[in-house]
Amino acid sequence: GAMENKGLNIFNSKYVLARVDIADDSDFMGIESVIAHEYFHNWTGNRVTLRDWFHLSLKEGLTVFRDQEFTSDLNSRAVKRLEDAKYIRDYQFAEDKSPMSHPVRPESYIEMNNFYTITVYYKGAEIIRMLHTILGEELFQQGMELYFELYDGKAVIIEDFINCHAQVSGRDFSQFLDWYRLAGTPALIVQMRYDEVEETCSLAFTQDLPASSPSAEISSLHIPLKINLVGSEGQLPLKLKSASGGQFDEDRNLLELRSKKSTFVFKNIGELPVPAIGEEFTAPVKIKYDRNISDLNRLVKNSSDPFVRWDSMQKITTEIILNGLDLSTTKLQNQSSVTKVAKALKSVLTDDKLDDYFKAQMLVLPSQSALWGEYKENIPVDSIWKTGENLKIILADHLNEIFAEIVESYKDEGGEIPSFEQISRRRLKNTALAYLALTADNSFFDKLSEKLENHGNFTDKLVYLTILNNNNNPHRNLSLDYFYRKYKDNFLVLNKWMAIQASGKLPDTLERVKNILNSSDFNLKNPNQVHSLLNVFAANKPHFHKINGDGYIFISRIIQKLDAINPVVASSLVSYFTGWREHIPERQKLIITELEKILQLKQLSPGVYEKVKRSLKS
């Protein structure tokens, strides 16, 4: 069975129960999502189950889609879609680049636990979402009803599910099924041509599919893509003049690409537009289309789609960071671009029509994973991180006044089960607070330390502790000690204390992690503690990937010990080594050395063996 709520009571109670005095906003949202997911498994996983494990995504991908829709309906659909898209691009795209890249329906495996992956779960959910996008809500739900009617009490395969939707819609989804065979992330190369005399705009799409087997056998995919053309004052009405290689739904501005090359020509376009491609992140693909910062700023200001606005800001800040990698000071190249970013962010922050949660997301710079995704090799780990931190300092200086206003206007909220509105207000306030800390003096940290001890809301307490830990200030050690003494008897809170230090920015991060590991508070046999301390550290890219190799040696030794205790958790740590080919030669040698040490272990578990072997072969 797939109804896991009973097991969570024993193995991961943080996703079942929470107390307002020791749970933060993410805990409450996690419970909402996980309980929904496991409850929905009553049908998608239990009543209708799987013929074999190769079809795992029919259970997990479909149920992730259902829990995502539940959260969207309950809170903010725009924010939820943005978060899910960010997760796919940060983590699933990275998995697609790694030696563990695999189709949503794997063709073979040594250890099935290695395929409870982001690809199976979350790319699987994106495939279901594409089906929903193509059909629309009404037809999709008819397909769901037929699926439950035909297969209640039976074990099925992915084709059975897709065929139900083909039957109710009369559509041919044989090409769509190739999504389940695809290993890697497809890309769409886009070219736009504007004819001022004819007032037409042509969009040409070329599908660039991964070359790995069995993807090499797939010449083109069935890709839904919502688009808009954005003028100087907003969206332009789209009237199709001609199309080849696909079709266009004028009511929904939805393209369906079916060929290697597709072209769509729109008429009555009275000005040079900027295309907004892939609204709502309608397909898990990379869009390759060069736009300058002015065009991207137009999308930030004028697009009606929240994802496009956020994505455009991510592209702008990515370009600024990657163009300034040779600088070690807070002076970045192209200061005019940074000023434009600050002005665009200010317009977002002062827009009363926008959700506070969305505003907070607009302030978050591209993740290290997203920035690394711009490279195939020789990732400049240290430069990317330093330049990103420098950009934050510059933005903090530009927007200091408005950040201060956001923080000052926030009314402290005590312990209560939070509404989404409260979560949104807190998220924006705490994001602004983290920026203010970058240019603050000691009086700022004095106040923060006092609030940590006296403020009632637990989410705020965690943020205050994180800021105090990430910035040099007189209260850092005292605050960490205070928090430890207050919560040392509560293992769920202690895990958060560990994670805050493992994700730290300052140079002593690894030393602190080692001190916790060797303390009586840590138990290597406790999976949640391993995740809170060791997985969080391994995901802390600037510290795990330090050029001296200390991070690699540390985690490698943990894997060697952990494999005999909990091979599934040990296997999860191996994942942080698998992308070694993307690094400079010095890091490659260090990582290979540690992988070979792991491979030499006697009685190595199948899961760890499979990941290490595939990594070294890649």
Side-chain angles (χ1 to χ4, degrees), residues 5 8 15 29-39 67:
N5 288 330
L8 289 172
Y15 288 121
M29 295 181 78
I31 289 171
E32 180 181 287
S33 173
V34 170
I35 294 296
H37 181 96
E38 305 307 342
Y39 184 78
D67 81 56

Side-chain angles (χ1 to χ4, degrees), residues 329-369:
T329 69
T330 55
K331 293 181 180 179
L332 287 172
Q333 292 172 344
N334 204 346
Q335 284 284 346
S336 63
S337 296
V338 179
T339 303
K340 288 178 182 178
V341 169
K343 286 182 179 178
L345 286 174
K346 188 172 183 179
S347 69
V348 168
L349 293 172
T350 54
D351 189 340
D352 294 335
K353 297 188 293 294
L354 294 176
D355 189 293
D356 282 344
Y357 204 117
F358 175 75
K359 292 179 182 180
Q361 291 286 50
M362 289 290 284
L363 290 170
V364 178
L365 297 187
S367 68
Q368 295 297 294
S369 294

Side-chain angles (χ1 to χ4, degrees), residues 552-571:
Y552 303 145
I553 294 168
F554 173 65
I555 293 297
S556 169
R557 287 175 180 170
I558 295 295
I559 293 168
Q560 293 170 55
K561 289 180 183 177
L562 193 57
D563 189 52
I565 300 170
N566 192 328
V568 174
V569 178
S571 176

